[in-house]
Amino acid sequence: KAGVTQTPRYLIKTRGQQVTLSCSPISGHRSVSWYQQTPGQGLQFLFEYFSETQRNKGNFPGRFSGRQFSNSRSEMNVSTLELGDSALYLCASSLGGDGKETQYFGPGTRLLVL
Amino acid sequence: GEDVEQSLFLSVREGDSSVINCTYTDSSSTYLYWYKQEPGAGLQLLTYIFSNMDMKQDQRLTVLLNKKDKHLSLRIADTQTGDSAIYFCALRGFQKLVFGTGTRLLVSP
């Protein structure tokens, strides 16, 4: 089975721009979660989607948004980029039924904001 | 909220055992995980333990859980240079994982 895939792997943007990151879960997985990893804050939960609905959201500003499609693929969007948004963005998928299954991670998208 | 702490750094010699520790405050998690992250890569699931277990062994990996002290550890037997990475413990909350700060393991030949 193919693992979780994320595109693009690397991205460079400038302040004020917006960016869209994509995640394709493991086949059969219906839950997709997003995490931000920075040296200062570590790994922080952004949001989780299941069956096209956001079930949980972390403590991030409204500039961070996401969605999930009917094939379980997910995108996250960051608008009005700030320097502090530079991070590794990780996507994880799980079966998703009760919100407690094991999460499997993709390789991440490294975003640099200049 | 949940708080998960790990020591920042561990250095061992090849062939020795490594023990990475994790302490947490929220005891409601049903699953506790160990993930490995190599430079420039995502998170690789190493192993996990269910909260009603005290120990789990998986080849070179042994996970110990002390629920009373809210302490989780990962022991790597016969540590190899390829084990050099950052190791994260994580607690499974509802619909999300809460990660520790990560322990950088350096294995020297």
Side-chain angles (χ1 to χ4, degrees):
Chain A
K1 234 184 214 184
V4 178
T5 58
Q6 292 186 245
T7 56
R9 291 294 311 279
Y10 304 93
L11 210 46
I12 299 176
K13 292 286 187 179
T14 56
R15 276 180 300 175
Q17 287 187 309
Q18 75 164 20
V19 67
T20 299
L21 313 181
S22 180
C23 171
S24 293
I26 293 170
S27 177
H29 285 193
R30 296 169 62 195
S31 168
V32 173
S33 299
W34 289 89
Y35 294 83
Q36 182 196 63
Q37 185 178 26
T38 59
Q41 299 298 316
L43 280 153
Q44 293 188 290
F45 171 75
L46 280 156
F47 26 65
E48 188 254 3
Y49 287 88
F50 176 76
S51 291
E52 302 177 66
T53 300
Q54 187 182 89
R55 288 199 298 191
N56 198 4
K57 188 176 190 306
N59 189 25
F60 279 82
R63 299 185 297 108
F64 291 82
S65 63
R67 59 177 175 168
Q68 187 180 34
F69 302 94
S70 58
N71 62 357
S72 295
R73 190 177 70 84
S74 176
E75 289 180 347
M76 70 163 277
N77 184 276
V78 188
S79 63
T80 320
L81 283 165
E82 300 177 359
L83 295 178
D85 297 332
S86 294
L88 179 66
Y89 289 88
L90 292 163
C91 160
S93 79
S94 65
L95 287 169
D98 65 0
K100 296 179 181 178
E101 297 92 353
T102 299
Q103 293 190 345
Y104 297 89
F105 284 79
T109 294
R110 189 165 294 279
L111 171 65
L112 177 61
V113 181
L114 301 175
Chain B
E2 307 95 334
D3 192 23
V4 185
E5 295 288 336
Q6 298 178 240
S7 51
L8 287 179
F9 189 74
L10 176 65
S11 179
V12 301
R13 288 200 177 274
E14 193 172 24
D16 288 349
S17 291
S18 306
V19 179
I20 302 171
N21 295 301
C22 172
T23 58
Y24 56 92
T25 54
D26 181 4
S27 57
S28 65
S29 298
T30 51
Y31 286 95
L32 301 95
Y33 298 87
W34 285 102
Y35 285 89
K36 174 184 179 182
Q37 187 176 38
E38 297 182 81
L43 298 176
Q44 175 193 352
L45 176 66
L46 286 177
T47 186
Y48 62 90
I49 188 167
F50 191 54
S51 59
N52 69 353
M53 299 169 66
D54 297 323
M55 186 184 86
K56 179 181 179 182
Q57 187 150 3
D58 187 357
Q59 299 183 346
R60 292 191 297 124
L61 306 178
T62 302
V63 179
L64 294 177
L65 175 61
N66 182 328
K67 291 182 286 295
K68 175 176 170 291
D69 294 339
K70 298 181 183 178
H71 182 267
L72 179 72
S73 68
L74 173 69
R75 178 177 179 269
I76 305 173
D78 188 25
T79 313
Q80 303 296 308
T81 54
D83 294 324
S84 292
I86 301 176
Y87 291 79
F88 293 92
C89 64
L91 274 58
R92 189 56 154 122
F94 184 60
Q95 298 155 1
K96 70 175 183 180
L97 289 170
V98 179
F99 285 90
T101 45
T103 299
R104 184 179 296 274
L105 174 64
L106 178 63
V107 184
S108 53

